[in-house]
Amino acid sequence: MASGDNREAEINPSEVVASPFQSFLNDLHLKYQSLRDGKVATYIPELAKANPDLFGICAIALDGRVFEVGDCHQLFTIQSISKVFVYGMVLEDRGRDYVLSKVGVEPTGDAFNAIVLDESSKRPYNPMVNAGAIATTSLIKGAGPTERLNRMLDMFRRYIGHNDIFIDISVFMSERTTGHRNRAMAHLMHHFGMIDEKIDEAIDLYFQQCSLMVNCHDLAVMAATLANNGINPITGEQAVDSSYVKDILSVMYTCGMYNYAGEWAYKVGLPAKSGISGGIIVVVPNQIGIAVFSPLLDERGNSVRGVKVCEELSRHFGLHMFDLAMGRCKVLEMLSNEEKI
Ligand code: DON
């Protein structure tokens, strides 16, 4: 199931806020719904079945207000967006210095699946590209594969805020049987001492994390949790040690959009992460978590509509980090005047 079933929508309509911000999202959705540029991912055969029409935008404020439009309750696999959260988990498990000795924090300017390691240190460049993410996953603590998987799922549960989470076995198997490039990278990294001998275990766990099923609403809660210093704004649960949130946001900012990261930093100016299923999360620190879902991708593997929506949101509301720092952000003022329905 590539773009999975619609999980029973458990929305209490009173939680969705009618407001100028919501109207702006509605307008953006309408404007970009007809944009058909890009292609769905096909290199993982199961993902080729994705419906290109799907399109959702969701934003969650730190007081729990939800703004959403479109296909926000359609399930799909999280793919590379998972890398952000596993990185946080491994920082907790192993500490900053150890993780840094195995995975760098340098943007590459290369594609997400490039087979490239840092010339001198032999580390993968950063935890957001596939090589770095596989190395990161290999650092998850646990007595065996089951314990490691369960610990990882528990971590995702804390971010998502409910127990109803599953791995899409079809996508997992599809990637497991075709992911030779990732497997090759894992062997190369083992050769250079960056991952231990449990190569197949690390690769399986990496494919499992990428096959976690989420919807756009879940992703917005996860982004809002990072915006809220690691505390899920809906459940109040601490999803990750707050002292590591800065590390996570830094690599999202510099590396989260792959070889578009520089232009993204210039135009949108916010920590973000994309995934090959068409999701993008964006964190507005201390304000709001945003997620967009649309499976049509550009040549870098980023959602075409997702990038457009985020660029326009940032420009319109002054969300760029440096606009925020200079006090030019309009969304804060506007959100504080919102009324619940
Ligand atoms: O390892 C892979 O290639 C996929 N499981 C994840 C890649 C991905 O999501 C890249 N993002 N745009």
Side-chain angles (χ1 to χ4, degrees):
M1 177 166 44
S3 277
D5 296 338
N6 219 346
R7 184 192 286 140
E8 217 30 59
E10 289 164 8
I11 315 174
N12 172 357
S14 66
E15 288 169 7
V16 178
V17 179
S19 66
F21 186 63
Q22 178 66 52
S23 306
F24 191 80
L25 296 189
N26 295 348
D27 291 347
L28 276 181
H29 191 268
L30 196 63
K31 177 172 174 184
Y32 290 116
Q33 180 76 70
S34 55
L35 180 65
R36 307 282 305 177
D37 295 354
K39 294 191 177 86
V40 304
T42 53
Y43 75 95
I44 300 172
E46 217 31 44
L47 294 187
K49 299 177 184 169
N51 175 355
D53 294 330
L54 292 171
F55 183 24
I57 311 172
C58 182
I60 297 192
L62 299 195
D63 60 4
R65 278 174 298 170
V66 178
F67 307 86
E68 62 185 16
V69 55
D71 302 304
C72 290
H73 293 267
Q74 174 71 41
L75 291 173
F76 54 93
T77 53
I78 188 169
Q79 295 300 338
S80 284
I81 299 174
S82 63
K83 295 168 179 173
V84 166
F85 306 98
V86 172
Y87 184 57
M89 178 179 183
V90 161
L91 286 170
E92 286 181 327
D93 273 5
R94 306 281 181 174
R96 200 173 276 125
D97 290 343
Y98 187 76
V99 176
L100 208 47
S101 74
K102 300 290 180 189
V103 186
V105 287
E106 214 56 61
T108 64
D110 292 324
F112 66 86
N113 58 0
I115 303 185
V116 54
L117 300 176
D118 184 291
E119 285 260 321
S120 57
S121 70
K122 304 300 180 198
R123 292 174 305 175
Y125 274 96
N126 68 67
M128 302 290 112
V129 290
N130 287 3
I134 294 164
T136 304
T137 301
S138 78
L139 297 176
I140 292 177
K141 279 192 175 166
T146 310
E147 189 176 317
R148 279 190 268 279
L149 172 63
N150 285 336
R151 288 192 66 244
M152 187 179 79
L153 291 176
D154 278 342
M155 174 276 292
F156 281 122
R157 272 189 202 102
R158 292 196 295 276
Y159 278 101
I160 295 175
H162 61 73
N163 293 323
D164 199 13
I165 66 170
F166 305 96
I167 285 172
D168 186 327
I169 296 297
S170 312
V171 174
F172 166 64
M173 287 307 293
S174 186
E175 189 161 6
R176 190 177 199 241
T177 48
T178 59
H180 306 297
R181 199 177 169 103
N182 282 333
R183 224 172 268 283
M185 276 189 274
H187 281 274
L188 188 66
M189 289 191 290
H190 175 59
H191 171 78
F192 286 118
M194 292 300 134
I195 72 174
D196 67 20
E197 69 292 345
K198 296 189 284 297
I199 302 171
D200 290 336
E201 215 183 278
I203 276 286
D204 271 357
L205 192 53
Y206 169 74
F207 292 149
Q208 283 160 347
Q209 79 179 55
C210 291
S211 304
L212 179 78
M213 297 180 81
V214 289
N215 60 35
C216 194
H217 182 275
D218 293 333
L219 288 181
V221 177
M222 297 169 90
T225 300
L226 290 174
N228 198 31
N229 218 10
I231 298 167
N232 184 314
I234 311 296
T235 63
E237 192 176 3
Q238 186 93 44
V240 62
D241 185 330
S242 295
S243 64
Y244 291 120
V245 170
K246 171 168 67 74
D247 306 58
I248 299 169
L249 295 181
S250 301
V251 290
M252 287 173 74
Y253 192 74
T254 52
C255 314
M257 301 300 283
Y258 306 116
N259 37 344
Y260 190 64
E263 198 165 329
W264 177 274
Y266 186 80
K267 288 185 175 167
V268 181
L270 288 167
K273 185 74 200 80
S274 65
I276 208 83
S277 287
I280 299 183
I281 60 168
V282 183
V283 178
V284 188
N286 219 15
Q287 310 300 340
I288 199 162
I290 301 170
V292 187
F293 167 55
S294 167
L296 288 169
L297 308 177
D298 61 24
E299 63 287 354
R300 292 151 168 140
N302 298 323
S303 167
V304 176
R305 290 180 183 131
V307 168
K308 293 271 183 212
V309 164
C310 295
E311 286 179 357
E312 203 155 323
L313 269 175
S314 177
R315 195 168 53 243
H316 185 84
F317 290 109
L319 297 179
H320 193 293
M321 291 294 275
F322 301 132
D323 280 333
L324 286 167
M326 305 289 179
R328 283 194 287 262
C329 174
K330 285 186 271 170
V331 82
L332 314 183
E333 196 187 336
M334 204 181 73
L335 286 177
S336 63
N337 296 329
E338 301 281 5
E339 293 285 329
K340 282 214 171 191
I341 303 171

